[in-house]
Structures are given as structure tokens and as C-alpha cells.
Amino acid sequence: MSAPTFAPTAIPEVVEVLPRVFEDPRGFFLESWNARAFAASGLDLDFIQDNHSRSSRGILRGLHYQIRQPQGKLVRVVQGEVFDVAVDLRRSSPTFKSWVGVYLTATKHNMLWVPPGFAHGFYVTSETADLLYKCTELYAPDDDHTLCWNDPEIGIEWPLVNGEPPTLSTKDAAGKSLQDAVIFP
């Protein structure tokens, strides 16, 4: 079995993962997780929680992060397409306040590694989308923070359908600006 390709993004710690896909008339096969292959690429990860999210076109979820229990997330789409975003919230990082966005699609089978210290969110561009993501820490509701999706200091270029504002949860609509948010040292 061939190892996946690991492609650093504009923020080198955020990595797009392209698994080797074997297709034939019956369908396809791919390894979505292989601890040995990931460790060989420098991503020695220990996942302890898996999540599944389904959303409709125009839904934006995020930008979420935890401070005391920071989560690394390996995100993939198994149905549909999303624009997946990571924002560097590590004050001591040379890429602090920078963001990177990658289209994740069920047809491309690509994944995104979002390390601890980053806010994460996604916007659904297809009719519906199913995301699966593995986390390195458990979800901690009392440590859950939301960064404002459209903070001008960050300037994420969301691919909004027809330029319409996204549909947000009450929690996400109340996200804090970077200036007011709790961030990493």
C-alpha cells in the first residue's frame, strides 16, 4: 500500500493529506488513517475522539478552538464539498493571525490536518456535506471558544454562495473578534 502525499499549505503546520486511492469498476478503496505513514511524515498523532457533521449549502460552522485542551483535527469530507479553514491563534508564531483555506471534497478524498493552536471552521459549498474528523483531545464544552467568522483583522475570503451571508448557529454568530478573543501564548 502506497503512503499518502503530505502537502504543507501556506502555513506549514497545516497539511493537506492526499491518500492513495485505488479505483476500479466496483468503486474505490483508500486508507484514511495509518499511524505509521503519518508518523513517518512527521505527524505522530494520537486520536481519541471521532466526530461526524452534516450540513447544508451556505452553513458555516466555526471558527472553533479550545485553549486548555487544544484539539488537533484531521478533517475529511465523505459526501459533498466544503471550504475548510484554519486560523493560527498562537501569538508567538510567525504566522499568527494568518489563515489557510482548502476545498475538501468527497471526490478528491483529500484531508486537512489542523494542529492544536488553530481555530477551525468550514463553509458548505455543495447541496449538503458530511465531514468526519478525528481529534487529538476530547471536546470540552467549558473550554470551547469561537472566533468571529468574518473578523476583518483576519480577512478570510469565504466563497459565499451568491455572496449571501452564511447561516450560523447562535454560538457562532456570537463569535469574538481576534482583539477580544482568548488566544494561545
Side-chain angles (χ1 to χ4, degrees), residues 26-153:
R26 299 170 298 157
F28 72 87
F29 173 84
L30 64 87
E31 277 187 352
S32 60
W33 168 246
N34 179 313
R36 185 177 298 146
F38 274 69
S41 79
L43 297 175
D44 192 8
L45 307 170
D46 184 23
F47 294 114
I48 61 173
Q49 179 177 323
D50 280 6
N51 299 321
H52 185 154
S53 171
R54 174 174 291 156
S55 302
S56 300
R57 178 179 286 122
I59 300 286
L60 191 150
R61 295 185 186 265
L63 299 157
H64 303 144
Y65 62 101
Q66 296 180 174
I67 294 287
R68 293 185 312 276
Q69 289 180 231
Q71 292 179 308
K73 298 176 181 176
L74 181 62
V75 185
R76 68 185 181 114
V77 170
V78 295
Q79 185 274 126
E81 177 186 85
V82 305
F83 185 66
D84 204 68
V85 172
V87 179
D88 190 347
L89 294 183
R90 303 167 300 163
R91 189 182 307 277
S92 60
S93 169
T95 57
F96 174 59
K97 298 193 284 188
S98 296
W99 65 275
V100 64
V102 173
Y103 283 95
L104 299 179
T105 72
T107 55
K108 189 176 179 184
H109 306 289
N110 58 331
M111 298 177 270
L112 192 66
W113 165 244
V114 179
F118 285 74
H120 172 256
F122 63 89
Y123 176 77
V124 181
T125 56
S126 55
E127 186 176 332
T128 60
D130 280 290
L131 266 79
L132 301 179
Y133 54 104
K134 302 177 94 46
C135 299
T136 59
E137 274 294 338
L138 296 174
Y139 173 64
D142 62 330
D143 189 29
D144 189 28
H145 300 275
T146 303
L147 186 65
C148 184
W149 71 276
N150 63 349
D151 185 332
E153 189 172 354

